[in-house]
Amino acid sequence: MNNKTKRFTYLALLSAMAITLNLIETATIPPMFGVFRIGLANIIALITIQVLGVKEMIIVNVMRVMIGNLMSGRIFGSSFWISFGGVLLSSIVLCIMHKLKASLMFTSVMSSIAHSIGQVCVVAFFYMTGYIAVILPYFLLLSIPTGLFTGFIAKIASERVNPLKK
Amino acid sequence: MKKKEIKILVVIAVIAVVGIIAMQFFPKKSTDPNLTPTEKPKGEWVAIIHKNEVAQWFDSGVDGEYTVKGDYGEMVVEVKDGRWHVGSVECPNHTCEQMGWDDGSSFMPITCIPNNIMIGTSEWVENYLSNE
């Protein structure tokens, strides 16, 4: 298999995994305090940036939001834009952290925080109220353990995925 | 994880905790005038409704006078000893003045049809506005 085909196959597999994880989490794990999710699909974004790079991570994240929402019948609805806002900001932070060569665990926590902030910004824009920001301290606090958890899983998985690249 | 990264995470956690604690000391004030005020009243919260919107909230445990503008003219509501009544009103029939004092136990709230004004307790107001 040439290198381009291999990368494309990896990209397709990782996108499928991200979408599946996203759908499984939505269907099986109830959100904490009614609004906060662990963000299992972030594990795949972290693996992608490690294994393939920034451009591919953005593709996986966009595919995850687009196809995930399409499959759950919420495409271009309010929940789509809320997830899109979260993914957009978390992708930007992932790129910055990758450039700064931060550790995977730290990158994961920062991306989790950025995801929450992105979602809160979209909700504030939709409802034209800044009062939603009161939820941010709770999100910040919850993002740390969930980010560490997804970062830990991504670290273990990356160690197993990297040898397959060769 | 590097030491510097751990420090940043600790700072973020501290900021979050401080934010949560600060919010307990500064409870959010209601911005919707139709919602019952969050402060604890001495008596009970009573609202003067004009055109299905709360024009004035008052605490029945605090004596006072409140003037509101209706469709026809002004209405003055007097509050004394946990009760309230219409002291004076600019309207043709003055029925609301004759309804006398209310303490929330009366069958229907004080109503002035020409001015499109009603005076009721918070419980009644919430029921009334949610059905409108």
Side-chain angles (χ1 to χ4, degrees), chain A residues 3 8 13 15 20 22 31 41 55 75 78 89 91 100 105-108 113 116 119 131 134-135 145 157 163:
Chain A
N3 203 30
F8 191 74
L13 281 170
S15 300
T20 311
N22 193 23
K55 202 175 86 185
I75 188 94
S78 58
L89 204 62
S91 300
L100 295 173
M105 303 279 266
F106 184 70
T107 305
S108 174
I113 290 171
S116 306
Q119 289 189 323
Y131 282 117
V134 296
I135 209 164

Side-chain angles (χ1 to χ4, degrees), chain A residues 100-103 105-106 109-110 113 131 134 137-138 140-141 144 148, chain B residues 1-2 5 8-9 12-13 15-17 19-20 23-24 28-29 31:
Chain A
L100 295 173
K101 296 192 184 348
S103 73
M105 303 279 266
F106 184 70
V109 175
M110 294 313 279
I113 290 171
Y131 282 117
V134 296
Y138 297 96
L140 280 182
L141 209 57
I144 296 172
L148 287 172
Chain B
M1 240 191 326
K2 298 166 201 163
E5 293 173 349
I8 294 170
L9 290 187
I12 292 169
I15 290 170
V17 171
I20 292 166
M23 277 191 290
Q24 311 305 314
K28 184 189 150 229
K29 283 190 175 179
T31 49

Side-chain angles (χ1 to χ4, degrees), chain A residues 42-43 46-47 104 149-159:
Chain A
N42 201 35
I43 297 169
L46 289 163
I47 296 170
L104 199 59
F149 172 72
T150 51
F152 178 68
I153 306 270
K155 198 178 167 194
I156 299 170
S158 296
E159 283 162 11

Side-chain angles (χ1 to χ4, degrees), chain B residues 1-50:
Chain B
M1 240 191 326
K2 298 166 201 163
K3 263 190 175 177
K4 201 176 163 187
E5 293 173 349
I6 295 170
K7 275 183 191 169
I8 294 170
L9 290 187
V10 170
V11 169
I12 292 169
V14 169
I15 290 170
V17 171
V18 168
I20 292 166
I21 293 167
M23 277 191 290
Q24 311 305 314
F25 286 104
F26 303 104
K28 184 189 150 229
K29 283 190 175 179
S30 168
T31 49
D32 184 351
N34 287 344
L35 292 178
T36 308
T38 48
E39 295 90 2
K40 199 174 159 46
K42 284 182 183 167
E44 64 180 319
W45 285 114
V46 181
I48 306 171
I49 299 178
H50 175 231

